[in-house]
Amino acid sequence: MDVGTFCAQSHVLIVAGKGGVGKTTMTAALARMASRAGYSVLIVELEGKSGLTGAFGLEHDLGYEEVEFHASAPGQGCVRARRITPDDALVEYLEDHGLRRISKRLVNSGVVEVVSSAIPGIRDVLVLGKIKQLERDGVADLIVVDAPATGHAITFLTSASGLVSAARGGPLRTQAADVVELLGDPARCRVILVTLPEEMPVSETIESAFTLEDKGGVQLGPVIVNATDSLPEGLELSAEEAGAGLDVDPAHLRALEEARRFRLERHSISAAQIGRLAQDLPLPQLLVPKIDSAGIGPAETDTLASALAVAVGALVPEAPAP
Amino acid sequence: MSALGTLVTERSVIVCCGSGGVGKTTVSATFALAAARAGRRACVVTVDPARRLADSLGVESLPNTPTEVEGDWPGHLHALMLDSKGTFDDLIHTYARTPEQAEGIMANRLYQNLVGALSGTQEYMAMEKLHELVESGAFDLVVVDTPPTRNALDLLDAPRRLTRFLENRLFRALLLPTRMSLRAVGLATQALLRTLSKVAGAEIVQDAVAFFQAFEGMEEGFRVRAGAVRRLLADPLTAYVVVTTARPDAVAEASFFAEKLTERHVAPAALVVNRIHPHFGEPGPDRDGEGDRADRFSGPLGALEANLADLNEVARSEDGSYAALAAQVAPAVVGRIPLFGADVHDLDGLKRTADVLFA
């Protein structure tokens, strides 16, 4: 599948995954990949301190106002980013409902905290409602959302359907119903799960995927398997075999052999987990190789965007729905 | 006895903190195992819903009560998996004045969702369970594997948050006896409720009011309990351990967590860096120089030399990534667990981890 087709499939991509799997890095790489294919992208960050700005070479944290990471250029779409917090979304919601004067007072007095704690999922629905509004307004060709870590992401994405069944009427229910509609329509929104080729992340991804589909009516896109280990050639022979007849320090030969075995073992774990994921979760996979780097900056984001584009290129287009 | 060893033999509570995916559950279990090996009665509380800990400890399941894990150690090792809702149910039963009141709360549609919706509930329930286990007197050491918190402060704020929730003006107004009805509620509150009804829908607000009223008379019990949990968390016999991997993003999270703990006067007693890539062999100067790379990598051992150099480069870069964190948490002890060739998924794996960490 070519990258353009992939980017045009849904207006919103929600990137979710267990903490530490590189969710934010993949958010940045997806955005960069789409921008290089000519699409304008808005990244939405929901939690602070995600490292998103660093992935684009900026230092300060994101705020409610949009920041431009990449200007549009011939053949390239721009990449912009902003943060949406529940408090911001709530204030905006109240203002949209004619309560501009008291919105600050409601938030500051703690009343909102009590009510939002008692009414399940209200905060999540407000945030998703804001994303829905951005999608409706067509603020960018593609909106990429850096979702909370799974666990919370499941609550986050299933809150709307929970609220729809808990509330019998009212404007909030309408808002929740709109969100459910957004999440259920693959042409508008899909969830991209990110995982690592390790036992625990793979198990959690399989479990989350089924929970999200069953409870949230969420549409899942391909799963990104981050930091896959490609096995270099030439590790078939043991150090002793390869070094036969050579004058090599025995201690060094031992180190070479230990390193060889370690690499082979880690690789076989990684391959086995990718296989298990493919078997237990019938979703296409995007394999992104591990990059050796002390941190993620613009250069690494570009490298990963290219790797992601290669993986997207290897996707087999789905047969059109009957 | 290593400095980390002192922690498991002398403290009565160890709280393991860190972001998700760093192996907190395994590290927590390793601490409890080390205590059992030192002859203590230890219990590890996990919030990880995966069956992984149960599997690795070789027990069938871990209900909300401690299950003993049999093994060749002089002490006792117990484990339990936190059931947030079950723990909340128990709390309601403890503080409800009548069984009917407890039933009334549990029957409310909002209650089912509250456990997940009230921010920090899972964190609070983990702390609640911890308090219960310590109070039971059945254990010398309780190790808590904390939830992968979105916000580092959730954990320490949890008891305070619940108390604040119960002390809120609106909440208190709503707690007035039902018979007095809304007439007794101040005009300001009535106006507020009307506004909220307009925004959220009248039925949702009515449900919320009914829900709060069901809690009538229970807030004092909750408040006392929250105070006790808070004192336990600040007790000198409670140790905080920050767990991380050497990945730069995990290190950044751990650093943030350590900073927040220190601000709260509960500075971490130890830092555990998990899954560190091992160094192979002695890196001689000639091996690391760029000059002879091409020569070395083209010979019969070329692929093996390149692999060795790659792995050692990863290890070196990892050493650098957590060096600043180790300095930041000083004088906290730094424990290192290497990335093993195979993943830790059984009791033998835990024992091997404990051997390395408490060597």
Side-chain angles (χ1 to χ4, degrees):
Chain A
M1 181 185 298
D2 74 283
V3 173
T5 311
F6 178 83
C7 297
Q9 279 182 323
S10 316
H11 302 151
V12 180
L13 293 177
I14 298 178
V15 185
K18 185 176 159 60
V21 298
K23 190 169 53 70
T24 300
T25 311
M26 287 303 123
T27 301
L30 273 170
R32 190 67 185 119
M33 175 187 82
S35 116
R36 292 204 303 208
Y39 290 77
S40 66
V41 184
L42 175 69
I43 301 176
V44 173
E45 184 193 69
L46 303 180
E47 292 177 23
K49 289 192 78 78
S50 69
L52 188 61
T53 45
F56 287 96
L58 298 174
E59 285 189 352
H60 58 85
D61 284 343
L62 282 176
Y64 200 61
E65 299 299 320
E66 273 183 25
V67 177
E68 186 165 82
F69 284 160
H70 272 281
S72 54
Q76 288 206 5
C78 60
V79 178
R80 290 167 294 149
R82 64 177 293 182
R83 177 185 294 177
I84 298 176
T85 66
D87 284 351
D88 296 332
L90 177 64
V91 169
E92 201 173 313
Y93 178 84
L94 292 173
E95 287 178 2
D96 289 350
H97 285 76
L99 298 167
R100 175 179 292 274
R101 269 188 313 116
I102 66 159
S103 60
K104 282 274 185 262
R105 188 161 67 87
L106 280 175
V107 173
N108 293 338
S109 65
V111 167
V112 162
E113 193 190 349
V114 170
V115 172
S116 64
S117 301
I119 304 171
I122 191 172
R123 297 164 77 85
D124 297 335
V125 167
L126 287 170
V127 168
L128 282 166
K130 177 67 192 167
I131 292 168
K132 176 215 69 187
Q133 190 195 330
L134 294 171
E135 183 249 357
R136 273 292 173 234
D137 293 350
V139 295
D141 297 328
L142 183 66
I143 298 174
V144 187
V145 182
D146 188 2
T150 28
H152 185 71
I154 291 178
T155 323
F156 177 67
L157 292 168
T158 55
S159 58
S161 50
L163 190 57
V164 167
S165 44
R168 280 157 291 198
L172 257 185
R173 186 185 193 282
T174 313
Q175 176 92 323
D178 285 352
V179 168
V180 170
E181 201 180 300
L182 169 76
L183 294 177
D185 182 354
R188 292 174 64 198
C189 178
R190 284 185 303 165
V191 174
I192 306 274
L193 294 171
V194 181
T195 191
L196 294 175
E198 292 168 19
E199 187 186 332
M200 204 150 96
V202 163
S203 298
E204 287 207 3
T205 302
I206 295 167
E207 205 172 309
S208 306
F210 284 108
T211 310
L212 283 173
E213 279 194 333
D214 296 348
K215 275 176 65 182
V218 169
Q219 299 294 317
L220 296 171
V223 179
I224 295 181
V225 186
N226 188 19
T228 56
D229 182 29
S230 55
L231 197 60
E233 287 176 23
L235 295 189
E236 300 78 14
L237 290 182
S238 73
E240 202 176 323
E241 290 163 336
L246 296 173
D247 176 27
V248 186
D249 170 24
H252 181 60
L253 211 55
R254 262 199 310 279
L256 287 174
E257 179 58 16
E258 279 170 16
R260 182 184 83 96
R261 289 199 180 165
F262 180 85
R263 188 68 174 263
L264 291 174
E265 276 174 8
R266 293 308 311 175
H267 184 264
S268 81
I269 290 175
S270 164
Q273 294 304 331
I274 293 172
R276 186 164 70 93
L277 182 66
Q279 196 177 2
D280 293 351
L281 190 64
L283 289 175
Q285 297 181 349
L286 297 171
L287 303 184
V288 177
K290 179 175 357 195
I291 57 168
D292 293 325
S293 163
I296 301 293
E300 288 76 19
T301 301
D302 273 3
T303 306
L304 289 168
S306 304
L308 208 47
V310 171
V312 167
L315 282 181
V316 180
E318 286 167 48
Chain B
M1 178 62 65
S2 70
L4 268 184
T6 320
L7 223 53
V8 297
T9 53
E10 291 178 3
R11 302 297 185 109
S12 53
V13 173
I14 293 177
V15 182
C16 289
C17 329
S19 56
V22 296
K24 268 201 310 282
T25 306
T26 306
V27 171
S28 304
T30 306
F31 272 94
L33 173 66
R37 281 177 157 187
R40 297 187 94 195
R41 298 169 301 160
C43 182
V44 53
V45 181
T46 180
V47 293
D48 181 4
R51 285 189 42 80
R52 196 182 154 84
L53 183 69
D55 286 347
S56 66
L57 292 172
V59 292
E60 279 297 305
S61 67
L62 297 170
N64 212 14
T65 50
T67 303
E68 175 144 19
V69 181
E70 302 295 338
D72 55 351
W73 38 76
H76 294 274
L77 174 62
H78 285 78
L80 83 81
M81 198 190 91
L82 180 76
D83 167 7
S84 267
K85 180 157 186 315
T87 309
F88 211 140
D89 288 354
D90 291 347
L91 261 186
I92 302 281
H93 278 293
T94 307
Y95 291 113
R97 290 176 307 177
T98 60
E100 289 72 32
Q101 186 184 19
E103 291 312 314
I105 290 170
M106 304 214 181
N108 190 295
R109 282 185 304 159
L110 292 181
Y111 177 74
Q112 303 296 326
N113 295 299
L114 185 77
V115 177
L118 178 56
S119 52
T121 304
Q122 200 192 16
E123 286 78 1
Y124 182 64
M125 289 306 136
M127 296 304 111
E128 175 59 36
K129 197 51 146 182
L130 165 67
H131 179 259
E132 182 191 316
L133 292 171
V134 170
E135 284 298 295
S136 76
F139 303 104
D140 304 313
L141 174 69
V142 182
V143 185
V144 202
D145 164 30
T146 61
T149 45
R150 160 190 226 181
N151 183 326
L153 291 173
D154 280 359
L155 172 82
L156 296 167
D157 273 348
R160 204 184 313 269
R161 201 186 300 258
L162 192 70
T163 319
R164 200 173 64 203
F165 181 73
L166 293 171
E167 281 170 355
N168 187 280
R169 195 163 52 92
L170 176 66
F171 183 80
R172 298 189 77 82
L174 294 175
L175 280 171
L176 287 169
T178 322
R179 249 173 312 160
M180 292 170 72
S181 170
L182 288 181
R183 265 178 304 158
V185 176
L187 281 177
T189 309
Q190 281 193 43
L192 213 48
L193 283 178
R194 270 200 306 275
T195 308
L196 287 170
S197 301
K198 198 171 139 196
V199 180
E203 283 171 332
I204 255 186
V205 173
Q206 278 163 19
D207 278 350
V209 170
F211 178 66
F212 288 130
Q213 286 174 341
F215 271 93
E216 184 192 339
M218 288 172 62
E219 71 273 30
E220 186 54 28
F222 268 101
R223 193 168 25 245
V224 169
R225 188 64 169 247
V229 173
R230 212 155 54 210
R231 279 192 298 280
L232 176 64
L233 288 176
D235 194 285
L237 285 178
T238 299
Y240 291 81
V241 174
V242 173
V243 184
T244 184
T245 62
R247 288 171 57 104
D249 49 347
V251 170
E253 283 283 313
S255 164
F256 178 70
F257 216 121
E259 188 186 312
K260 293 296 166 194
L261 286 171
T262 307
E263 276 174 19
R264 299 306 190 95
H265 310 290
V266 284
L271 168 72
V272 173
V273 188
N274 194 14
R275 291 197 218 115
I276 299 180
H277 276 81
H279 285 273
F280 295 95
E282 292 297 320
D286 60 321
R287 304 255 170 243
D288 290 343
E290 282 295 314
D292 64 347
R293 276 180 79 98
D295 277 354
R296 273 200 291 138
F297 295 172
S298 61
L301 283 170
L304 293 171
E305 293 281 8
N307 178 55
L308 177 68
D310 284 352
L311 291 180
N312 280 343
E313 180 51 39
V314 171
R316 242 195 315 276
S317 133
E318 282 191 352
D319 289 349
S321 79
Y322 68 86
L325 176 61
Q328 178 195 335
V329 299
V333 198
V334 179
R336 294 172 181 81
I337 304 174
L339 178 65
F340 295 110
D343 287 333
V344 176
H345 55 72
D346 56 14
L347 202 48
D348 284 340
L350 282 182
K351 285 180 179 173
R352 200 161 34 138
T353 311
D355 288 343
V356 175
L357 198 55
F358 297 93

